[in-house]
């Protein structure tokens, strides 16, 4: 993980612009998600939308990743590669997307239901979203990185879920992955003290079963060891006094989902 960079308000505005564009892109993706659609179709749509908005897909080519979206199906946690397999009723698909605009990255993820999913899966999605919110609630100046991890871990484990250890949130700005690492587990009062000007991606990855993960033979996709589903939501947050400033939004996505 690279160095930590504290941002000016002007830089934070530019990160916000990029983060919001990712939210809009994911809202376009949300319109198309249904049984029968392939993740490659979603990927093409996202790439076109990002380029039409004068930005560059942030993941395409990064560490040689081949696509615009990471599309992680059911037991896939993150880093799934879009393919030609149609989505099925009852699937969940985590879509992670980044853009680069004006020299700054945005990086947002959302887990979507495909058709009708089970109540058990709906609960996993709800609790993972709650983990993200609880993390944002403590992402304020003077608190520690460990407070964020504790908030996620405590809520997930209280619900019997596993918290992925191998992948973590991160600082972001001119680089997609800057310091500090933002783990989804930890101890209150431990780790770096959060200061104004820090911009971080908070991204709980929560498994219905074991926290253990393995890498798929494609060399990219991270999947749960027990094959049970996993959920992933991500926001970009600027550290402020008293209350975090959430730079990204999921609202456009959720407006689309409500109207479906
Ligand atoms: Mg992401
Ligand atoms: Mg991220």
């Amino acid at each position: 993980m690279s160095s930590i960079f504290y941002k000016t308000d002007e830089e934070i505005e530019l990160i916000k612009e990029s983060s919001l564009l990712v939210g809009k892109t994911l809202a376009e993706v949300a319109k198309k998600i249904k049984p029968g659609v392939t993740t490659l179709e979603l990927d093409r749509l996202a790439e076109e939308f990002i380029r039409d908005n004068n930005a560059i897909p942030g993941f395409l080519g990064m560490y040689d990743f081949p696509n615009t979206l990471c599309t992680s199906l059911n037991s896939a946690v993150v880093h799934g590669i879009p393919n030609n397999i149609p989505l099925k009723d009852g699937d969940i698909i985590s879509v992670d997307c980044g853009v680069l605009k004006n020299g700054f990255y945005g990086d947002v993820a959302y887990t979507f239901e495909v058709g009708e999913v089970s109540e058990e899966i709906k609960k996993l999605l709800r609790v993972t979203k709650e983990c993200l919110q609880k993390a944002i609630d403590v992402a304020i100046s003077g608190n520690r990185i460990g407070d964020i991890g504790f908030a996620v871990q405590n809520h997930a484990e209280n619900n019997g879920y596993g918290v992925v250890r191998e992948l973590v949130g991160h600082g972001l700005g001119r680089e997609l992955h800057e310091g500090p690492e933002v783990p989804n587990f930890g101890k209150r009062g431990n780790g770096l003290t959060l200061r104004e000007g820090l911009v971080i991606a908070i991204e709980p990855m929560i498994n219905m079963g074991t926290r253990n993960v393995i890498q798929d033979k494609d060399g990219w996709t991270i999947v749960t060891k027990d094959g049970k589903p996993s959920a992933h939501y991500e926001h970009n947050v600027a550290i402020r006094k008293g209350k975090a400033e959430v730079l990204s939004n999921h609202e456009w996505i959720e407006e689309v989902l409500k109207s479906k």
Side-chain angles (χ1 to χ4, degrees):
M1 191 72 60
S2 58
S3 316
I4 297 170
F5 300 97
Y6 294 89
K7 277 82 180 178
T8 64
D9 282 351
E10 291 73 21
E11 289 171 326
I12 290 172
E13 274 309 304
L14 293 174
I15 298 171
K16 183 174 182 177
E17 195 179 322
S18 297
S19 300
L20 292 178
L21 178 55
V22 185
K24 279 185 194 153
T25 306
L26 291 177
E28 292 301 308
V29 167
K31 290 178 188 170
K32 300 290 177 201
I33 289 185
K34 60 177 183 191
V37 77
T38 72
T39 46
L40 258 183
E41 290 174 88
L42 301 176
D43 187 73
R44 282 192 211 105
L45 169 106
E47 179 173 358
E48 199 175 298
F49 187 81
I50 291 166
R51 294 195 192 281
D52 285 348
N53 282 277
N54 305 313
I56 298 168
F59 296 172
L60 184 65
M62 173 82 61
Y63 318 115
D64 291 327
F65 188 78
N67 290 86
T68 293
L69 301 178
C70 292
T71 53
S72 306
L73 186 71
N74 298 326
S75 64
V77 180
V78 288
H79 300 168
I81 301 173
N83 61 32
N84 271 319
I85 302 168
L87 296 176
K88 297 194 311 292
D89 190 43
D91 282 342
I92 52 170
I93 182 86
S94 298
V95 182
D96 196 349
C97 181
V99 308
L100 176 62
K101 187 172 185 177
N102 304 314
F104 289 88
Y105 282 93
D107 179 13
V108 180
Y110 198 92
T111 301
F112 295 92
E113 303 174 10
V114 182
E116 267 308 304
V117 308
S118 69
E119 285 304 318
E120 200 186 13
I121 287 178
K122 281 183 194 287
K123 185 185 170 196
L124 174 70
L125 302 187
R126 177 174 57 77
V127 170
T128 306
K129 249 187 256 184
E130 289 167 357
C131 286
L132 175 54
Q133 187 55 52
K134 285 175 186 295
I136 291 168
D137 290 344
V138 297
I140 55 175
S141 177
N143 278 356
R144 304 286 196 103
I145 283 287
D147 296 322
I148 294 175
F150 177 84
V152 173
Q153 181 181 8
N154 188 51
H155 190 55
E157 291 182 352
N158 280 343
N159 282 279
Y161 297 146
V163 177
V164 175
R165 300 294 202 275
E166 289 82 353
L167 298 129
V168 296
H170 50 92
L172 87 164
R174 289 189 186 277
E175 301 291 335
L176 177 62
H177 295 130
E178 298 180 356
E181 292 196 348
V182 185
N184 295 303
F185 56 95
K187 291 195 173 71
R188 275 189 281 204
N190 274 35
L192 180 79
T193 299
L194 304 171
R195 282 176 38 208
E196 284 198 271
L198 189 64
V199 176
I200 54 175
I202 304 178
E203 48 179 318
M205 293 155 239
I206 306 299
N207 299 345
M208 189 179 281
T210 176
R211 68 179 172 85
N212 295 318
V213 296
I214 49 176
Q215 188 166 51
D216 188 81
K217 55 183 175 306
D218 67 14
W220 273 106
T221 316
I222 304 296
V223 297
T224 59
K225 199 169 179 194
D226 60 8
K228 290 186 179 173
S230 182
H232 179 212
Y233 294 88
E234 179 176 21
H235 268 313
N236 304 151
V237 168
I239 302 302
R240 302 290 193 191
K241 289 199 179 82
K243 192 174 190 298
E245 181 183 356
V246 183
L247 305 177
S248 46
N249 94 43
H250 288 159
E251 285 163 28
W252 295 315
I253 297 169
E254 285 168 355
E255 276 169 25
V256 168
L257 297 179
K258 266 182 226 143
S259 69
K260 277 173 102 175

